[in-house]
């Protein structure tokens, strides 16, 4: 007779980590300190504005090349600054971004296509993950794509485990496939709350600790003298009933 943990063959419980992806453009804010270089730049821009105040075609100073923008058709405003339409481009592919959606993240401006290329792809559907990203077993998923391999139940925020073939399983499906079954009550030997539980192994069979008792009088077996298990014809018996049935 032996007692063993019933974690199942290699079962380890995991919880997936979900993170939000900040894909909104950054906004300029007023106030706060500025460096000496920034003061010089602002001063130069103000001087340019004053010098060209009488020029009706003067739009402002480009935040990229620091040159004057002449003609409203040649300028655009984004992220709180003015740019030449030819200067406001994707930092990666250099495509112009006027009248196009763009993303500003970590100080870098991207067109939509280049921005998507910076994002992780879902392991299941192979599309970009734009909002919430679920990270589990060293892979990335849309939360709604992370499901049990067997029953397809969504595992976002739910404990899960992985079998020896790297299949992701909910705890219920894992137990159905791998948990030991009690020879006395025929129920799976599992913990209701996910905590570690134990099984008794006797006569090459598995038993709940609570089911390991005399099958005649329900007396619990123990290691004390005369209180152990006395098997007879595949039955678990206490010492008294073993003697009684053996003599019959």
């Amino acid at each position: 007779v032996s007692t063993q943990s019933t974690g199942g063959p290699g079962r380890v419980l995991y919880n997936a980590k979900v993170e939000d992806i900040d894909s909104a453009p950054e906004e300029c804010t007023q106030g706060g300190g500025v460096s000496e270089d920034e003061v010089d730049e602002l001063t130069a821009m103000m001087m340019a504005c004053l010098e060209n105040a009488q020029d009706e075609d003067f739009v402002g100073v480009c935040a990229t090349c620091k040159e004057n923008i002449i003609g409203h058709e040649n300028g655009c405003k984004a992220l709180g600054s003015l740019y030449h339409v030819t200067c406001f481009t994707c930092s990666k592919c250099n495509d112009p971004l006027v009248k196009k959606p763009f993303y500003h993240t970590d100080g870098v401006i991207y067109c939509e296509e280049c921005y998507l290329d910076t994002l992780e792809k879902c392991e299941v559907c192979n599309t970009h993950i734009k909002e919430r990203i679920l990270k589990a077993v060293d892979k990335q998923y849309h939360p709604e794509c992370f499901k049990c391999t067997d029953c397809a139940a969504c595992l976002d925020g739910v404990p899960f485990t992985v079998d020896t073939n790297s299949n992701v399983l909910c705890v219920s499906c894992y137990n159905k496939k791998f948990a030991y079954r009690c020879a006395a009550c025929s129920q799976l030997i599992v913990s209701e709350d996910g905590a570690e539980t134990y099984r008794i192994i006797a006569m090459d069979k598995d038993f709940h600790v609570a089911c390991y008792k005399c099958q005649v009088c329900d007396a619990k077996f123990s290691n004390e003298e005369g209180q152990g298990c006395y098997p007879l014809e595949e039955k678990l018996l206490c010492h008294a009933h073993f003697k009684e049935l053996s003599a019959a």
Side-chain angles (χ1 to χ4, degrees):
V1 178
S2 66
T3 303
Q4 293 186 7
S5 168
T6 60
R11 189 188 80 172
V12 178
L13 287 181
Y14 302 93
N15 281 289
K17 181 181 180 182
V18 178
E19 299 175 353
D20 290 326
I21 297 176
D22 183 10
S23 60
E26 297 178 8
E27 294 183 1
C28 296
T29 57
Q30 294 182 335
V34 293
S35 68
E36 186 175 336
D37 288 342
E38 289 174 320
V39 171
D40 291 341
E41 184 178 321
L42 289 170
T43 301
M45 292 177 68
M46 289 177 62
M47 292 300 295
C49 290
L50 290 173
E51 291 171 0
N52 294 275
Q54 302 303 317
D55 188 346
E56 293 182 358
D57 291 330
F58 176 73
V59 176
V61 178
C62 177
T64 298
C65 70
K66 308 301 185 282
E67 297 293 331
N68 293 349
I69 304 171
I70 305 300
H72 291 278
E73 71 279 5
N74 295 318
C76 63
K77 185 176 182 179
L79 305 173
S81 298
L82 295 172
Y83 300 85
H84 288 107
V85 293
T86 54
C87 289
F88 190 63
T89 60
C90 173
S91 299
K92 185 176 180 181
C93 69
N94 292 320
D95 278 357
L97 296 175
V98 176
K99 297 182 180 180
K100 293 181 181 179
F102 67 90
Y103 293 84
H104 186 218
T105 178
D106 296 328
V108 181
I109 298 172
Y110 295 103
C111 65
E112 187 169 26
E113 184 177 350
C114 288
Y115 173 73
L116 291 177
D117 286 341
T118 69
L119 301 179
E120 300 280 3
K121 283 190 175 182
C122 176
E123 183 70 20
V124 175
C125 68
N126 200 38
T127 61
H128 291 103
I129 305 173
K130 299 179 182 179
E131 297 177 2
R132 297 173 67 231
I133 182 171
L134 184 150
K135 297 181 179 181
V137 291
D138 296 325
K139 297 176 182 178
Q140 292 75 37
Y141 304 83
H142 291 105
E144 62 272 18
C145 290
F146 187 60
K147 299 178 180 180
C148 173
T149 303
D150 279 14
C151 71
C154 182
L155 298 177
D156 180 13
V158 178
F160 67 93
T161 189
V162 180
D163 67 14
T164 54
N165 294 319
S166 299
N167 294 312
V168 175
L169 300 169
C170 65
V171 175
S172 177
C173 286
Y174 184 91
N175 287 338
K176 289 176 184 177
K177 293 179 71 172
F178 298 110
Y180 301 98
R181 192 173 294 275
C182 179
C185 69
S186 298
Q187 298 300 310
L188 295 176
I189 306 175
V190 296
S191 172
E192 294 298 327
D193 57 6
E196 190 173 41
T197 189
Y198 296 88
R199 65 187 171 111
I200 302 293
I201 302 173
M203 300 186 302
D204 294 325
K205 297 179 181 180
D206 303 302
F207 298 88
H208 288 105
V209 174
C211 292
Y212 188 59
K213 58 189 177 180
C214 177
Q215 292 178 258
V216 177
C217 67
D218 290 338
K220 294 289 183 68
F221 301 133
S222 71
N223 293 325
E224 296 181 12
E225 186 176 353
Q227 302 299 312
C229 173
Y230 293 82
L232 178 66
E233 296 179 356
E234 299 297 314
K235 289 185 178 181
L236 304 180
L237 301 173
C238 63
H239 187 240
H241 283 102
F242 174 80
K243 291 175 61 178
E244 179 182 323
L245 295 176
S246 296

